[in-house]
Amino acid sequence: MPTIVVTGAAGGIGTRLRQLLPSVYPDICWSDRVAPPHLASHERFVKADLSVMSEVEQAIDGAHGIVHLGGHSIEGSWETILNANIIGCYNLFEAARRRGVERVVFASSNHAIGFYPRQRRIGTDDPVRPDSRYGVSKAFGEALGALYAYKHGLRITSIRIGNFGEAPVDERRLSIWLKPEDLVQLIRIGLEHPDIRCEIFYGASDNSRGWWDNAAAFRFGYRPQGRSEEYVAAALAAQAKLPADPVGDWYQGGPFCSDEFDDGIERSPV
Ligand code: 15L
């Protein structure tokens, strides 16, 4: 059984994966800057700050595969994004190369393409349109992954995660929802499929209101089980309580687009 290192263990996705991944990969080492609360005695944990290369190298030592969830997971100041997501991501890929790790699954985000209008259907070959410094850092991570795949032979999978959770919580999330078990499927493809070289998948469940062509993931055998339409009434009721956001409601990235926005909506690219 391969040894898997998961960064960002204390975050929301990491916490849920601590319940789901061990039945698939019994030998997991969880890593983060701080220990997750309620760490069980059988769970292995290594503390590492992603912005410190020596700590990252130590954390991933002996791994066959890495699931890189670590970093800052929403918009932040340039300094925060630079340290956690740009330098942190570089350190992760470079440490993986130095220590001979074969595969990395990178948690990218829908915010790498957030400035596409909701009326556009996009695939993974369309150019990135980040909606935030955070989104830029995710596009950077995808590009870095391609460099380490094609120059150094690592097998890289970037998953543009939509919205991870037990149910879609508003109208936008009906289009981008990702059921936790579906993320596990995508991670397994990235860590195990023999034909992975450098792939980008959308981290989305079977959402009939979806905006993304996820053919690449389907080619690798992804069969999402979550259906956001089953939650439509609750999600739309929650949406009705939210204030209107003309910019955020137009674009796929939602509030990440309207935050700090000072362009005219009439000039929005389609
Ligand atoms: C993300 O990338 C964030 O990490 C998460 O907190 C949500 O904001 C999600 O996107 C989303 O777009 O709903």
Side-chain angles (χ1 to χ4, degrees):
M1 261 296 162
T3 298
I4 306 300
V5 171
V6 182
T7 68
I13 298 182
T15 300
R16 185 72 176 95
L17 289 186
R18 279 173 50 222
Q19 298 166 334
L20 297 176
L21 271 192
S23 60
V24 185
Y25 303 110
D27 189 14
I28 298 185
C29 177
W30 303 96
S31 180
D32 209 314
R33 275 193 313 178
V34 290
H38 316 299
L39 201 64
S41 58
H42 63 268
E43 289 183 296
R44 209 146 55 89
F45 175 76
V46 178
K47 190 168 165 314
D49 183 335
L50 287 167
S51 65
V52 182
M53 174 66 96
S54 57
E55 292 187 17
V56 181
E57 271 198 71
Q58 208 183 348
I60 62 143
D61 192 35
H64 299 102
I66 299 172
V67 181
H68 182 41
L69 308 172
H72 193 70
S73 65
I74 52 172
E75 181 60 313
S77 69
W78 171 239
E79 201 192 354
T80 301
I81 297 294
L82 176 66
N83 285 309
N85 292 14
I86 303 285
I87 295 172
C89 195
Y90 170 77
N91 286 348
L92 190 283
F93 278 110
E94 176 58 14
R97 182 192 70 80
R98 291 183 192 175
R99 298 285 168 132
V101 179
E102 196 194 341
R103 292 179 185 245
V104 178
V105 175
F106 169 59
S108 183
S109 165
N110 70 90
H111 297 291
I113 43 89
F115 260 125
Y116 281 99
R118 297 185 186 190
Q119 58 190 253
R120 265 287 289 274
R121 183 172 170 82
I122 56 169
T124 48
D125 288 339
D126 289 293
V128 291
R129 277 194 198 172
D131 57 21
S132 48
R133 291 173 290 279
Y134 167 70
V136 169
S137 76
K138 293 300 182 180
F140 170 82
E142 293 179 2
L144 202 59
L147 174 69
Y148 278 81
Y150 295 118
K151 185 160 273 195
H152 303 298
L154 277 77
R155 295 170 186 262
I156 307 293
T157 305
S158 294
I159 305 175
R160 287 182 182 162
I161 298 176
N163 187 259
F164 176 92
E166 300 309 317
V169 293
D170 58 23
E171 187 171 11
R172 176 174 161 266
R173 270 56 172 265
L174 286 170
S175 300
I176 68 169
W177 179 53
L178 176 61
K179 186 181 165 90
E181 288 78 1
D182 289 340
L183 177 58
V184 171
Q185 257 198 68
L186 290 167
I187 288 173
R188 290 193 68 175
I189 292 169
L191 291 177
E192 297 173 33
H193 199 291
D195 298 334
I196 291 287
R197 178 110 195 260
C198 182
E199 294 296 332
I200 297 177
F201 299 149
Y202 282 103
S205 289
D206 183 3
N207 304 327
S208 54
R209 299 168 189 236
W211 304 311
W212 306 324
D213 175 355
N214 213 5
F218 290 119
R219 266 200 311 279
F220 280 87
Y222 178 50
R223 298 290 177 266
Q225 300 303 307
R227 282 178 187 73
S228 64
E229 226 39 37
E230 289 170 11
Y231 304 89
V232 72
L236 293 181
Q239 179 69 38
K241 295 188 186 134
L242 297 174
D245 176 359
V247 173
D249 292 345
W250 175 259
Y251 291 112
Q252 297 186 6
F256 284 64
C257 296
S258 45
D259 181 34
E260 301 177 32
F261 184 88
D262 52 17
D263 192 10
I265 186 88
E266 68 281 2
R267 280 186 277 146
S268 94
V270 176

